[in-house]
């Protein structure tokens, strides 16, 4: 079996010159690549006691739900504003160009609940930082954050320095 890095398609000069885009769809399209990605994320949770997996749409769903299923945990979706049907809590956060709002159901996290956040990629860390604020605002405790890929050159880990962060693949650049 190949190493997980071998399943990632790297596209130079996208979306702009000098950037190497790390394409997760090439992992998803290959049965062995997808299994390996889920297994590696799940391995990073060995020994971690937690109650719930939280993941942002859409790729946090893709990687978070199988891990939650395998470990018999619940899954809490974090969605863009206006996509959830019940009462929500929301937070606005900064993007590279502008801002966005994400939300989760107000009753999704119980006080004292131990939470793992799973997503495909950490870049600047802004989305994950916002998710942490939502979870903690509801009384939850973030005990681990897992990413399939990390773009270390964007220093997203610095925003998450007070948390246990794991990434399966780490790229030095942006």
């Amino acid at each position: 079996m190949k190493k997980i890095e071998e399943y990632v398609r790297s596209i130079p000069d996208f979306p702009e010159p000098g950037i190497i885009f790390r394409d997760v769809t090439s992992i998803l399209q290959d049965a062995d690549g997808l299994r390996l990605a889920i297994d590696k994320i799940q391995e990073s949770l060995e020994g971690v006691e937690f109650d719930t997996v939280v993941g942002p749409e859409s790729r946090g769903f893709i990687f978070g739900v199988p891990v939650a299923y395998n470990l018999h945990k619940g899954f809490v979706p974090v969605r863009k504003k206006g996509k959830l049907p019940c009462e929500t809590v929301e937070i606005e956060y900064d993007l590279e160009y502008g801002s966005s709002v994400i939300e989760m159901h107000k009753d999704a996290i119980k006080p004292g609940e131990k939470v793992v956040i799973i997503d495909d990629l950490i870049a600047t860390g802004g989305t994950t930082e916002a998710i942490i604020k939502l979870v903690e605002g509801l009384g939850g405790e973030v005990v681990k954050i897992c990413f399939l890929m990390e773009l270390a050159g964007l220093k997203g880990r610095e925003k998450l320095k007070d948390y246990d962060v794991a990434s399966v693949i780490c790229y030095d650049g942006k």
Side-chain angles (χ1 to χ4, degrees):
M1 184 182 276
K2 299 190 297 191
K3 294 186 341 183
I4 189 68
E5 294 86 348
E6 295 176 70
Y7 291 97
V8 178
R9 180 172 37 197
S10 297
I11 303 163
D13 299 320
F14 182 83
E16 57 187 53
I19 301 294
I20 299 174
F21 185 83
R22 308 298 181 174
D23 185 13
V24 74
T25 64
S26 53
I27 293 173
L28 300 175
Q29 293 167 344
D30 187 287
D32 289 335
L34 178 58
R35 178 181 298 276
L36 186 57
I38 300 300
D39 288 350
K40 290 292 186 184
I41 291 170
Q42 194 167 305
E43 283 173 20
S44 73
L45 293 171
E46 287 179 7
V48 178
E49 290 186 32
F50 67 99
D51 305 301
T52 304
V53 173
V54 171
E57 68 176 291
S58 64
R59 291 177 302 248
F61 294 10
I62 292 169
F63 295 106
V65 168
V67 171
Y69 175 84
N70 288 342
L71 299 178
H72 197 71
K73 306 293 182 182
F75 179 83
V76 174
V78 176
R79 308 254 355 237
K80 294 175 184 158
K81 185 174 176 66
K83 300 290 184 181
L84 293 170
C86 297
E87 188 177 357
T88 62
V89 290
E90 67 179 47
I91 187 166
E92 183 173 355
Y93 65 102
D94 292 329
L95 299 168
E96 190 174 353
Y97 304 104
S99 64
S100 187
V101 177
I102 54 173
E103 49 186 22
M104 65 190 326
H105 281 140
K106 189 175 187 177
D107 62 356
I109 303 293
K110 310 293 183 276
E113 197 165 0
K114 295 183 183 312
V115 171
V116 167
I117 299 170
I118 296 178
D119 203 0
D120 70 319
L121 176 74
I122 177 173
T124 65
T127 302
T128 303
E129 182 181 45
I131 294 169
I132 290 168
K133 289 177 182 175
L134 287 175
V135 168
E136 291 178 347
L138 293 173
E141 176 189 358
V142 176
V143 296
K144 183 95 177 188
I145 306 167
C146 303
F147 300 100
L148 180 60
M149 296 187 289
E150 177 176 355
L151 303 179
L154 294 175
K155 303 186 185 313
R157 224 178 242 263
E158 290 177 10
K159 283 186 182 162
L160 312 176
K161 68 181 182 296
D162 296 330
Y163 299 89
D164 185 1
V165 176
S167 57
V168 174
I169 305 168
C170 185
Y171 295 103
D172 292 331
K174 301 177 182 181

